[in-house]
């Protein structure tokens, strides 16, 4: 009661929260920073790989397309935009993540980070799986809808486009981990802030 | 210090945490329960709407398909599976959500819920946007890949399939809100647990 209402001294805080708890929170923050950097690089790689892929065939007929680019398919355009947005967000969130390593007791800023992380997770997942659905169609085609596989003609384009999905899905997994770690860290930080 | 090491009584806890904080946490938990129920109904509706849609045309030719079902397109099958899984998870999570209304100070169970919520958010978003990418293709077609719009023939099928996306996207938004609310509630609960 008295401790809760009165002002806290630094000595009290360190005795209440043992070193293990403090180290745990710092470890979570460092891990969060690493996850963010790797996820940012993954989404950057995906956006660049998809954005720069072009294939022009040496021949063309009236019925077969002769030039493939990401702009030809709206889902691939969305993929590039979603990856760029998430990549920019992740780089912008790095200072806040570093701030959390230094000041382990911050609670509200962690919740702000969870909020934006969750939204960005939805954006990134949605871009990645929309592109994956189209890539699958390009590889396999669909006989009942009369959509033909275009990867026979655009082999190189399809290879690179499929590869560019990897970075994005890695980003999704890392963002999920970052959200879970942030929520653990927020709960620990809240305990420390009161204690 | 003494309070932290010794067992807590109910009276102490209520005097330390003011009524506003307790009410806030209970309010968050009730809101979480409502979000979960609505999201579960949304995903259930989506799965059922997509799963039961069939259209058989009164005529058929050799080149045009004459029967459309969700099983014809892998993305739609994934959509039904993803929505069913998330719906089942949301119903299973309801008891835990009710437990949080009764016991506001639970921290670890909230973090468990955030963990699974985040994974389910990724599954649901991915199903919804893969289906959305194919629905868009069915409506608009793609001239550069020679994929024709099939919605002229399967007007009724396309209408219902497009409609079934709504419940899924509503579920995505509600899950995002549920994760944010849970992280706030976890931080508040952690403060209360120590105080």
């Amino acid at each position: 009661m008295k401790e809760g209402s009165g002002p806290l001294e630094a000595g009290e805080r360190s005795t209440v929260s043992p070193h293990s708890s403090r180290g745990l929170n710092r470890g979570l923050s460092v891990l969060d920073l690493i996850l963010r950097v790797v996820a940012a690089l993954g989404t950057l790689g995906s956006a660049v790989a998809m954005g720069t892929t072009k294939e022009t065939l040496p021949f063309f007929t009236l019925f077969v397309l002769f030039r493939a680019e990401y702009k030809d398919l709206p889902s691939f355009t969305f993929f590039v935009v979603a990856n760029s947005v998430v990549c920019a967000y992740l780089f912008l969130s790095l200072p806040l993540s570093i701030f959390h390593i230094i000041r382990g007791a911050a609670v509200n800023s962690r919740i702000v980070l969870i909020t934006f992380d969750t939204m960005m997770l939805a954006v990134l997942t949605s871009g990645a799986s929309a592109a994956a659905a189209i890539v699958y169609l390009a590889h396999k085609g669909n006989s009942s809808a009369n959509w033909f596989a275009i990867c026979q003609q655009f082999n190189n384009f399809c290879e690179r486009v499929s590869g560019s999905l990897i970075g994005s899905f890695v980003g999704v997994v890392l963002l999920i981990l970052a959200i879970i770690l942030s929520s653990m860290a927020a709960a620990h930080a809240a305990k420390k802030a009161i204690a």
Side-chain angles (χ1 to χ4, degrees), chain A:
Chain A
M1 256 310 287
K2 290 154 223 154
E3 286 170 20
S5 51
L8 291 162
E9 271 111 61
E12 267 181 37
R13 198 178 288 178
S14 65
T15 47
V16 170
S17 62
H19 273 278
S20 67
S21 161
R22 191 168 208 158
L24 177 71
N25 225 4
R26 180 157 291 180
L28 288 176
S29 302
V30 171
L31 203 57
D32 182 72
L33 181 67
I34 296 168
L35 288 178
R36 258 164 226 286
V37 171
V38 178
L41 294 177
T43 50
L44 181 68
S46 281
V48 170
M50 179 70 90
T52 58
T53 304
K54 264 178 213 184
E55 191 176 1
T56 312
L57 293 185
F59 59 88
F60 64 93
T61 71
L62 223 94
F63 298 106
V64 177
L65 85 166
F66 56 96
R67 195 161 177 280
E69 215 184 337
Y70 77 94
K71 282 179 193 158
D72 294 328
L73 293 150
S75 294
F76 289 171
T77 313
F78 177 53
F79 179 84
V80 173
V81 172
N83 274 283
S84 309
V85 167
V86 172
C87 181
Y89 160 75
L90 284 172
F91 274 117
L92 289 176
S93 75
L94 290 184
L96 202 55
S97 186
I98 293 167
F99 168 75
H100 287 153
I101 298 177
I102 302 163
R103 238 186 80 97
V107 179
N108 291 338
S109 59
R110 281 182 210 268
I111 289 174
V112 169
L113 216 53
I114 292 174
T115 305
F116 285 104
D117 279 358
T118 312
M119 290 175 191
M120 290 296 150
L121 172 66
V123 171
L124 187 62
T125 315
S126 133
S129 65
I134 299 298
V135 165
Y136 182 82
L137 202 62
H139 274 285
K140 297 268 176 181
N142 189 293
S143 57
S144 47
N146 271 340
W147 292 329
F148 301 108
I150 57 163
C151 282
Q152 281 116 3
Q153 293 126 45
F154 291 97
N155 199 18
N156 196 21
F157 177 72
C158 273
E159 291 276 314
R160 275 197 63 178
V161 160
S162 311
S164 74
L165 295 179
I166 297 170
S168 209
F169 279 107
V170 168
V172 167
V173 173
L174 296 182
L175 261 182
I176 291 176
L177 289 178
I179 292 170
I180 296 168
L181 289 183
S182 290
S183 65
M184 285 179 184
H188 272 282
K191 275 182 196 166
K192 270 165 76 178
I194 286 289

